[in-house]
Amino acid sequence: MLITWFMASQMALSPVEADRWEPAGIPALTYRSDLGLGLGILGATTRFRSDCQPFCWRALVLLQGVFRLDPEGLVVPTRNAIVFVDVPRWTRPEWRLMVAAADYDEQEVGYSGIGTRGRFGASAPVETYRWHRRLAGFKLRQRLRGEALAKTGFTDAYVGTEFGWNQLQFTADSKLALDARADSNDDSDDAAFLSRQIGVLSDHADGLINGGIIIDRRDHEFTPQRGSIHELSARLGRAGGQGVWGNIFVESAGFWSLMPNRLVLAARGLVDHVVGPIPLYRRSEMSGLIPSQGIAGAEGVRGLPAYGEMGKTKLLFNGELRLRLLDHRLVRQRLSWRAVFFSDVGRAFTDLHDSGVGRRALDGRWWHFLWGLGAGVRLRWGEAFVLRLDGAVSPLENSKGVYFGADHLF
């Protein structure tokens, strides 16, 4: 059996038509043990032709609510509606257009105070706050080096913008409310420190512009076996009446085939650094072409609760072993099952440009990183759709998490 399994791994997948549609639609079942069970609809349609690579266009639609059973009954802390369209050959020269519109209603965004290894201010119940946000934006991506239809070996640049309207609500006795009152009712150094760190809390508009460079040497966009991808990007934004903030993001990922068509080692490292009054709801965010949630949780150090690590500077390292198990067809659909074993390390720093953080010892020693490890399952449906299920623990923090969603972590 082992010899047969190894020989089969050396064979390519059965050929598919170059001119085809790949629709994929499933109930949007996501699960994050720190947030709840997501129920909704996720649909994706990808158009392939021989004259456009990696595809002609791809559209995704997500309608979802997150449900959790609390002692007081069933609650719905999150409701999301997202439309995303990716058109690699939008017009000539080869611009790649990405357009998104979304409506987020997050009722359980965490705030436990300013600081990562220590918390500033009076102790108070660590209650969540509500963030309702409507946004729209686009990005244009241009091929700089490499053939227009090349699947790999190219360099792209992108530029884009985003606009949103935000409403924040928090209870009168929460930690955020106490910090906000200390900010507004006092003219001390502590109050000034809080004012710099918390930022705008009233209803407000925000916007940003961003741009970056991507150097892609992977052999496949969705399930690479070898190669690398590197990204450097910057953002400038403003929220409400606050000043302008800036962001630099650097990410590098590599893929090495340890056993051809069977076992892959994947690793990623990134640095995300912000200067200026970034709004509170972006403190956990990591930027790039497609921004991610942050250091803690499903898109960073798995095993940690979401929003558990927030700051203006973030470091993250992920390592994965990806093992291809089985390929088969079901109702004319091509399915491929993989196992993943991973370890994540990362941390955030509150604000490296504010001396008040170090003076108050809020970030501890620089080497106080957070750690998570675990295993998961991947299902590649067709060529451009990946489902993932991960289970993780964070031994040093005595926490654990289970996550189900779409796409590889990187």
Side-chain angles (χ1 to χ4, degrees), residues 122-161:
S123 60
V126 180
E127 295 189 13
T128 57
Y129 66 91
R130 179 176 181 179
W131 164 34
H132 184 78
R133 189 164 194 234
R134 293 184 172 94
L135 65 89
F138 71 88
K139 289 184 175 72
L140 287 170
R141 182 170 169 178
Q142 168 68 56
R143 182 64 45 87
L144 298 178
R145 295 186 60 187
E147 296 181 3
L149 301 183
K151 291 185 178 182
T152 186
F154 58 79
T155 300
D156 286 1
Y158 66 86
V159 63
T161 187

Short mmCIF file of all heavy atoms in Angstrom, two decimals, residues 122-161:
data_model
loop_
_atom_site.label_atom_id
_atom_site.label_comp_id
_atom_site.label_asym_id
_atom_site.label_seq_id
_atom_site.Cartn_x
_atom_site.Cartn_y
_atom_site.Cartn_z
N ALA A 122 -7.13 51.73 35.30
CA ALA A 122 -7.85 51.01 36.34
C ALA A 122 -8.39 49.69 35.80
O ALA A 122 -8.72 49.56 34.63
CB ALA A 122 -9.00 51.87 36.87
N SER A 123 -8.47 48.70 36.69
CA SER A 123 -9.05 47.42 36.30
C SER A 123 -10.55 47.58 36.12
O SER A 123 -11.20 48.38 36.78
CB SER A 123 -8.76 46.36 37.37
OG SER A 123 -9.32 46.75 38.61
N ALA A 124 -11.09 46.84 35.20
CA ALA A 124 -12.52 46.92 34.89
C ALA A 124 -12.92 45.66 34.15
O ALA A 124 -12.06 44.93 33.63
CB ALA A 124 -12.80 48.15 34.03
N PRO A 125 -14.23 45.36 34.09
CA PRO A 125 -14.66 44.20 33.31
C PRO A 125 -14.19 44.31 31.86
O PRO A 125 -14.29 45.38 31.25
CB PRO A 125 -16.19 44.27 33.39
CG PRO A 125 -16.47 45.08 34.62
CD PRO A 125 -15.35 46.07 34.73
N VAL A 126 -13.64 43.24 31.34
CA VAL A 126 -13.17 43.25 29.95
C VAL A 126 -14.36 42.94 29.06
O VAL A 126 -14.61 41.79 28.71
CB VAL A 126 -12.03 42.24 29.75
CG1 VAL A 126 -11.55 42.27 28.31
CG2 VAL A 126 -10.88 42.54 30.70
N GLU A 127 -15.11 43.98 28.72
CA GLU A 127 -16.28 43.79 27.88
C GLU A 127 -15.96 44.16 26.44
O GLU A 127 -15.06 44.94 26.16
CB GLU A 127 -17.44 44.66 28.40
CG GLU A 127 -17.91 44.26 29.79
CD GLU A 127 -19.18 44.99 30.17
OE1 GLU A 127 -19.79 45.60 29.27
OE2 GLU A 127 -19.55 44.95 31.35
N THR A 128 -16.72 43.59 25.52
CA THR A 128 -16.54 43.87 24.11
C THR A 128 -17.26 45.15 23.72
O THR A 128 -18.09 45.66 24.47
CB THR A 128 -17.06 42.70 23.28
OG1 THR A 128 -18.44 42.50 23.61
CG2 THR A 128 -16.30 41.44 23.59
N TYR A 129 -16.94 45.66 22.55
CA TYR A 129 -17.68 46.79 22.01
C TYR A 129 -18.22 46.41 20.65
O TYR A 129 -17.81 45.44 20.03
CB TYR A 129 -16.82 48.05 21.95
CG TYR A 129 -15.66 48.01 20.99
CD1 TYR A 129 -15.81 48.44 19.67
CD2 TYR A 129 -14.41 47.55 21.39
CE1 TYR A 129 -14.74 48.42 18.78
CE2 TYR A 129 -13.34 47.53 20.51
CZ TYR A 129 -13.52 47.97 19.21
OH TYR A 129 -12.46 47.93 18.34
N ARG A 130 -19.15 47.20 20.13
CA ARG A 130 -19.81 46.90 18.86
C ARG A 130 -19.26 47.82 17.78
O ARG A 130 -19.15 49.02 17.96
CB ARG A 130 -21.32 47.11 18.98
CG ARG A 130 -22.06 46.83 17.68
CD ARG A 130 -23.56 46.95 17.86
NE ARG A 130 -24.27 46.66 16.62
CZ ARG A 130 -25.60 46.67 16.50
NH1 ARG A 130 -26.34 46.95 17.56
NH2 ARG A 130 -26.18 46.40 15.36
N TRP A 131 -18.92 47.22 16.65
CA TRP A 131 -18.40 47.96 15.51
C TRP A 131 -19.26 47.62 14.30
O TRP A 131 -19.32 46.49 13.85
CB TRP A 131 -16.94 47.58 15.29
CG TRP A 131 -16.37 47.96 13.96
CD1 TRP A 131 -16.67 49.08 13.22
CD2 TRP A 131 -15.40 47.24 13.21
NE1 TRP A 131 -15.94 49.09 12.06
CE2 TRP A 131 -15.14 47.98 12.03
CE3 TRP A 131 -14.70 46.06 13.42
CZ2 TRP A 131 -14.24 47.56 11.07
CZ3 TRP A 131 -13.80 45.65 12.47
CH2 TRP A 131 -13.57 46.39 11.31
N HIS A 132 -19.96 48.64 13.79
CA HIS A 132 -20.75 48.46 12.57
C HIS A 132 -20.07 49.26 11.47
O HIS A 132 -19.81 50.46 11.63
CB HIS A 132 -22.19 48.93 12.75
CG HIS A 132 -23.03 48.66 11.54
ND1 HIS A 132 -23.53 47.41 11.25
CD2 HIS A 132 -23.44 49.46 10.53
CE1 HIS A 132 -24.22 47.45 10.11
NE2 HIS A 132 -24.17 48.70 9.66
N ARG A 133 -19.78 48.61 10.36
CA ARG A 133 -18.98 49.25 9.33
C ARG A 133 -19.48 48.89 7.94
O ARG A 133 -19.73 47.72 7.64
CB ARG A 133 -17.52 48.84 9.48
CG ARG A 133 -16.58 49.61 8.59
CD ARG A 133 -15.15 49.45 9.06
NE ARG A 133 -14.32 50.44 8.42
CZ ARG A 133 -13.21 50.18 7.72
NH1 ARG A 133 -12.83 48.93 7.60
NH2 ARG A 133 -12.52 51.14 7.17
N ARG A 134 -19.64 49.91 7.11
CA ARG A 134 -19.91 49.71 5.69
C ARG A 134 -18.73 50.25 4.91
O ARG A 134 -18.27 51.36 5.17
CB ARG A 134 -21.19 50.44 5.27
CG ARG A 134 -22.45 49.87 5.90
CD ARG A 134 -23.69 50.57 5.38
NE ARG A 134 -24.89 49.90 5.84
CZ ARG A 134 -25.56 50.23 6.94
NH1 ARG A 134 -25.12 51.23 7.70
NH2 ARG A 134 -26.65 49.57 7.29
N LEU A 135 -18.24 49.47 3.95
CA LEU A 135 -17.06 49.91 3.21
C LEU A 135 -17.11 49.42 1.78
O LEU A 135 -17.81 48.46 1.43
CB LEU A 135 -15.77 49.45 3.90
CG LEU A 135 -15.49 47.95 3.99
CD1 LEU A 135 -14.73 47.47 2.76
CD2 LEU A 135 -14.69 47.64 5.24
N ALA A 136 -16.34 50.11 0.94
CA ALA A 136 -16.17 49.73 -0.45
C ALA A 136 -14.76 50.13 -0.86
O ALA A 136 -14.21 51.11 -0.35
CB ALA A 136 -17.20 50.41 -1.34
N GLY A 137 -14.19 49.39 -1.76
CA GLY A 137 -12.85 49.73 -2.20
C GLY A 137 -12.46 48.92 -3.42
O GLY A 137 -13.16 48.01 -3.85
N PHE A 138 -11.33 49.29 -3.99
CA PHE A 138 -10.82 48.57 -5.15
C PHE A 138 -9.30 48.63 -5.14
O PHE A 138 -8.68 49.48 -4.50
CB PHE A 138 -11.35 49.16 -6.46
CG PHE A 138 -10.78 50.51 -6.80
CD1 PHE A 138 -9.60 50.63 -7.53
CD2 PHE A 138 -11.42 51.67 -6.38
CE1 PHE A 138 -9.08 51.87 -7.83
CE2 PHE A 138 -10.89 52.91 -6.68
CZ PHE A 138 -9.72 53.02 -7.40
N LYS A 139 -8.71 47.71 -5.88
CA LYS A 139 -7.26 47.70 -6.12
C LYS A 139 -7.02 47.39 -7.59
O LYS A 139 -7.72 46.55 -8.18
CB LYS A 139 -6.56 46.66 -5.24
CG LYS A 139 -6.52 47.02 -3.77
CD LYS A 139 -5.72 46.00 -2.98
CE LYS A 139 -5.56 46.42 -1.52
NZ LYS A 139 -6.83 46.30 -0.78
N LEU A 140 -6.03 48.06 -8.17
CA LEU A 140 -5.57 47.78 -9.52
C LEU A 140 -4.17 47.20 -9.43
O LEU A 140 -3.30 47.75 -8.75
CB LEU A 140 -5.54 49.05 -10.36
CG LEU A 140 -6.91 49.60 -10.80
CD1 LEU A 140 -6.76 50.98 -11.40
CD2 LEU A 140 -7.57 48.65 -11.79
N ARG A 141 -3.96 46.11 -10.12
CA ARG A 141 -2.69 45.38 -10.04
C ARG A 141 -2.09 45.27 -11.45
O ARG A 141 -2.76 44.81 -12.37
CB ARG A 141 -2.94 44.00 -9.43
CG ARG A 141 -1.70 43.14 -9.23
CD ARG A 141 -2.11 41.92 -8.40
NE ARG A 141 -1.07 40.90 -8.36
CZ ARG A 141 -1.17 39.77 -7.67
NH1 ARG A 141 -2.27 39.53 -6.97
NH2 ARG A 141 -0.19 38.89 -7.67
N GLN A 142 -0.85 45.72 -11.61
CA GLN A 142 -0.21 45.79 -12.92
C GLN A 142 1.01 44.87 -12.98
O GLN A 142 1.84 44.88 -12.07
CB GLN A 142 0.24 47.23 -13.20
CG GLN A 142 1.17 47.41 -14.38
CD GLN A 142 0.49 47.14 -15.72
OE1 GLN A 142 -0.52 47.76 -16.03
NE2 GLN A 142 1.02 46.21 -16.49
N ARG A 143 1.13 44.09 -14.05
CA ARG A 143 2.29 43.25 -14.27
C ARG A 143 3.48 44.11 -14.69
O ARG A 143 3.42 44.82 -15.69
CB ARG A 143 1.96 42.20 -15.34
CG ARG A 143 3.06 41.20 -15.65
CD ARG A 143 3.41 40.31 -14.48
NE ARG A 143 2.28 39.77 -13.77
CZ ARG A 143 1.64 38.62 -14.09
NH1 ARG A 143 2.02 37.91 -15.10
NH2 ARG A 143 0.63 38.20 -13.35
N LEU A 144 4.57 44.04 -13.92
CA LEU A 144 5.77 44.80 -14.23
C LEU A 144 6.82 43.96 -14.94
O LEU A 144 7.47 44.42 -15.87
CB LEU A 144 6.38 45.37 -12.94
CG LEU A 144 5.52 46.35 -12.15
CD1 LEU A 144 6.27 46.78 -10.89
CD2 LEU A 144 5.15 47.56 -12.99
N ARG A 145 7.02 42.72 -14.47
CA ARG A 145 7.99 41.81 -15.07
C ARG A 145 7.34 40.45 -15.26
O ARG A 145 6.50 40.05 -14.47
CB ARG A 145 9.23 41.67 -14.19
CG ARG A 145 10.05 42.95 -14.04
CD ARG A 145 11.33 42.68 -13.28
NE ARG A 145 12.16 41.69 -13.97
CZ ARG A 145 13.28 41.18 -13.46
NH1 ARG A 145 13.68 41.54 -12.24
NH2 ARG A 145 13.98 40.30 -14.14
N GLY A 146 7.74 39.74 -16.29
CA GLY A 146 7.15 38.46 -16.58
C GLY A 146 6.09 38.58 -17.65
O GLY A 146 5.51 39.64 -17.86
N GLU A 147 5.82 37.49 -18.36
CA GLU A 147 4.84 37.51 -19.43
C GLU A 147 3.44 37.73 -18.87
O GLU A 147 3.13 37.34 -17.74
CB GLU A 147 4.89 36.20 -20.20
CG GLU A 147 6.23 35.97 -20.92
CD GLU A 147 6.21 34.67 -21.70
OE1 GLU A 147 5.16 34.00 -21.72
OE2 GLU A 147 7.26 34.31 -22.28
N ALA A 148 2.60 38.34 -19.68
CA ALA A 148 1.25 38.68 -19.23
C ALA A 148 0.45 37.47 -18.80
O ALA A 148 -0.35 37.53 -17.87
CB ALA A 148 0.51 39.42 -20.34
N LEU A 149 0.67 36.32 -19.45
CA LEU A 149 -0.10 35.13 -19.14
C LEU A 149 0.65 34.14 -18.25
O LEU A 149 0.20 33.03 -18.04
CB LEU A 149 -0.51 34.41 -20.44
CG LEU A 149 -1.35 35.24 -21.42
CD1 LEU A 149 -1.74 34.39 -22.61
CD2 LEU A 149 -2.59 35.81 -20.74
N ALA A 150 1.81 34.56 -17.73
CA ALA A 150 2.61 33.64 -16.92
C ALA A 150 1.93 33.32 -15.61
O ALA A 150 1.37 34.18 -14.95
CB ALA A 150 3.99 34.25 -16.65
N LYS A 151 1.98 32.02 -15.24
CA LYS A 151 1.42 31.61 -13.95
C LYS A 151 2.38 31.89 -12.80
O LYS A 151 1.96 31.95 -11.65
CB LYS A 151 1.09 30.11 -13.98
CG LYS A 151 -0.07 29.75 -14.89
CD LYS A 151 -0.41 28.27 -14.75
CE LYS A 151 -1.60 27.89 -15.59
NZ LYS A 151 -1.98 26.46 -15.43
N THR A 152 3.66 32.01 -13.10
CA THR A 152 4.66 32.23 -12.06
C THR A 152 5.83 33.00 -12.65
O THR A 152 5.92 33.20 -13.86
CB THR A 152 5.14 30.88 -11.48
OG1 THR A 152 6.00 31.13 -10.36
CG2 THR A 152 5.88 30.07 -12.52
N GLY A 153 6.74 33.45 -11.77
CA GLY A 153 7.91 34.16 -12.23
C GLY A 153 7.65 35.58 -12.65
O GLY A 153 8.19 36.05 -13.66
N PHE A 154 6.82 36.32 -11.90
CA PHE A 154 6.49 37.68 -12.29
C PHE A 154 6.60 38.63 -11.10
O PHE A 154 6.71 38.22 -9.95
CB PHE A 154 5.07 37.75 -12.88
CG PHE A 154 4.00 37.24 -11.97
CD1 PHE A 154 3.50 38.02 -10.93
CD2 PHE A 154 3.46 35.98 -12.14
CE1 PHE A 154 2.50 37.56 -10.09
CE2 PHE A 154 2.46 35.50 -11.30
CZ PHE A 154 1.97 36.30 -10.28
N THR A 155 6.58 39.92 -11.41
CA THR A 155 6.54 40.97 -10.41
C THR A 155 5.38 41.90 -10.74
O THR A 155 5.28 42.39 -11.87
CB THR A 155 7.86 41.78 -10.39
OG1 THR A 155 8.95 40.90 -10.09
CG2 THR A 155 7.80 42.89 -9.36
N ASP A 156 4.51 42.13 -9.77
CA ASP A 156 3.35 43.00 -9.94
C ASP A 156 3.43 44.18 -8.98
O ASP A 156 3.99 44.07 -7.89
CB ASP A 156 2.05 42.25 -9.65
CG ASP A 156 1.67 41.27 -10.75
OD1 ASP A 156 2.44 41.16 -11.73
OD2 ASP A 156 0.63 40.61 -10.62
N ALA A 157 2.83 45.29 -9.38
CA ALA A 157 2.62 46.42 -8.49
C ALA A 157 1.11 46.66 -8.39
O ALA A 157 0.36 46.36 -9.32
CB ALA A 157 3.31 47.67 -9.01
N TYR A 158 0.66 47.20 -7.26
CA TYR A 158 -0.77 47.49 -7.12
C TYR A 158 -0.96 48.81 -6.40
O TYR A 158 -0.10 49.30 -5.66
CB TYR A 158 -1.50 46.36 -6.40
CG TYR A 158 -1.11 46.15 -4.96
CD1 TYR A 158 -1.73 46.87 -3.92
CD2 TYR A 158 -0.16 45.20 -4.60
CE1 TYR A 158 -1.39 46.67 -2.60
CE2 TYR A 158 0.19 45.00 -3.28
CZ TYR A 158 -0.43 45.73 -2.28
OH TYR A 158 -0.08 45.53 -0.97
N VAL A 159 -2.12 49.39 -6.65
CA VAL A 159 -2.53 50.63 -5.97
C VAL A 159 -4.03 50.53 -5.76
O VAL A 159 -4.75 49.94 -6.57
CB VAL A 159 -2.15 51.87 -6.80
CG1 VAL A 159 -2.88 51.88 -8.14
CG2 VAL A 159 -2.44 53.16 -6.04
N GLY A 160 -4.51 51.09 -4.66
CA GLY A 160 -5.93 50.98 -4.38
C GLY A 160 -6.39 51.98 -3.35
O GLY A 160 -5.61 52.79 -2.83
N THR A 161 -7.67 51.92 -3.05
CA THR A 161 -8.25 52.82 -2.07
C THR A 161 -9.41 52.13 -1.37
O THR A 161 -9.93 51.11 -1.85
CB THR A 161 -8.73 54.13 -2.75
OG1 THR A 161 -9.13 55.06 -1.75
CG2 THR A 161 -9.90 53.86 -3.67
#
